[in-house]
Amino acid sequence: MKPHYKPIPSESKLFKVEFQKTSQEFYYPWHYHAELELTFILSGQGVRYVGNSIENFYEDELVLLGSNLPHTWNTTIDQNQPVTAIVIYLKEDFFDKNWLGSIEFESIRNLSVLMNKGIKVSKEVALALKPKFFEMLSASPFEKLMILLQVLEYLSHNHEHRFLCEQEFTCDIDDTDKTRINSVYDYIQKNYQRQISLADVASKLNMSEEYFSRYFSKTMKKPFFEFLNEYKINRACKLLIETDKQISEICYASGFESIPFFYRQFKKFKDCQPKTYRMNFQKISLLQPA
């Protein structure tokens, strides 16, 4: 399950800033690249895969990714709103040892190392930086660089974030299988509401159950069914946030067949109960400016 290498062409040898909309450019398959990446979601929602992390994404989200950290953003099947994002790629030359190796850039250099685990920035920090991302779209090349350094410096001194992969999750770039991981994602997305067996998924990849199980665990650093249940829990979170359905309805709509098992999995992945998750989100929403 090797990700696909994605080249990032750019006129600048240091970085690239671009506006992305729901398109082949944004929905690139499970991939990696040498460039570090800052992705600010402006609109839309779906599921974000970073390393072995699976989470829902929403607007006003800022995620920082290290070099060669596999990732992809996908909308869910029932999502109609287009996704737009401002994406910044930091090239290898940006981290020239004679420049960023100096004491003035120590905090930014430290941030670049932490990005290898994938960083989800708090919404408050993301909103504070949002105008800077828009400024970079229309600024001159030199102004872009100055604004980018301001953004990175701000992020490097702010600790309102969490890691998406507790262990670094870089890929083996010697092999580029372009389809297997996306086949697994697509199959889960289309079939999560029914019972999925190991044989079902393994057969899609022309593997035996035993080989697929070992292969998936080794590559994704978690067992397949843990990966599957994490996806289902994130689907449940989406329903908790966007609907007023009863928790028992959400349990079955998310593909779980047992309410007690659903509660145990929710606690495992979200460290709280579904009712608490919904209440906490409602409280946060009330605090957001109109």
Side-chain angles (χ1 to χ4, degrees), residues 72-86:
T72 187
W73 274 255
N74 288 318
T75 58
T76 50
I77 295 174
D78 56 354
Q79 171 62 30
N80 295 318
Q81 183 184 13
V83 175
T84 58
I86 297 174

Side-chain angles (χ1 to χ4, degrees), residues 87-144:
V87 183
I88 302 172
Y89 300 102
L90 305 179
K91 294 188 167 291
E92 292 178 276
D93 287 345
F94 186 88
F95 296 93
D96 178 85
K97 63 180 180 179
N98 295 319
W99 184 30
L100 285 190
S102 65
I103 190 172
E104 292 85 356
F105 294 98
E106 182 178 4
S107 58
I108 294 178
R109 187 169 63 253
N110 292 337
L111 174 66
S112 70
V113 174
L114 294 177
M115 287 170 66
N116 289 330
K117 296 183 177 182
I119 296 175
K120 169 69 165 56
V121 177
S122 74
K123 189 169 185 178
E124 291 73 19
V125 173
L127 288 172
L129 291 174
K130 189 175 183 178
K132 295 289 186 183
F133 277 78
F134 275 108
E135 285 179 36
M136 279 187 275
L137 289 177
S138 56
S140 68
F142 181 79
E143 290 172 334
K144 278 187 174 72

Side-chain angles (χ1 to χ4, degrees), residues 184 186-204 224-225 228-229 231-232 235 251-258:
V184 174
D186 290 343
Y187 188 81
I188 289 175
Q189 184 171 311
K190 294 173 182 176
N191 296 280
Y192 72 93
Q193 290 179 308
R194 69 175 187 84
Q195 187 174 11
I196 296 177
S197 70
L198 207 59
D200 292 333
V201 188
S203 65
K204 296 294 179 182
F224 171 74
F225 285 110
L228 174 62
N229 287 329
Y231 179 89
K232 291 181 179 181
R235 292 297 297 169
C251 165
Y252 298 122
S254 303
F256 290 97
E257 299 179 333
S258 162

Side-chain angles (χ1 to χ4, degrees), residues 133-199:
F133 277 78
F134 275 108
E135 285 179 36
M136 279 187 275
L137 289 177
S138 56
S140 68
F142 181 79
E143 290 172 334
K144 278 187 174 72
L145 176 59
M146 293 299 101
I147 298 169
L148 175 58
L149 290 175
Q150 290 174 359
V151 168
L152 292 173
E153 178 70 4
Y154 186 94
L155 289 170
S156 68
H157 290 288
N158 193 289
H159 301 291
E160 295 181 38
H161 64 251
R162 59 183 174 82
F163 295 118
L164 298 176
C165 306
E166 286 304 321
Q167 54 183 319
E168 293 186 16
F169 195 99
T170 53
C171 59
D172 178 2
I173 61 175
D174 292 334
D175 189 13
T176 54
D177 184 334
K178 301 178 182 180
T179 58
R180 285 176 175 171
I181 195 67
N182 290 292
S183 295
V184 174
Y185 287 160
D186 290 343
Y187 188 81
I188 289 175
Q189 184 171 311
K190 294 173 182 176
N191 296 280
Y192 72 93
Q193 290 179 308
R194 69 175 187 84
Q195 187 174 11
I196 296 177
S197 70
L198 207 59

Side-chain angles (χ1 to χ4, degrees), residues 30 51-52 169 181 185 216-222 227:
W30 172 249
N52 61 356
F169 195 99
I181 195 67
Y185 287 160
F216 191 92
S217 295
K218 180 180 179 181
T219 304
M220 300 304 291
K221 297 182 172 64
K222 64 174 63 174
F227 188 87

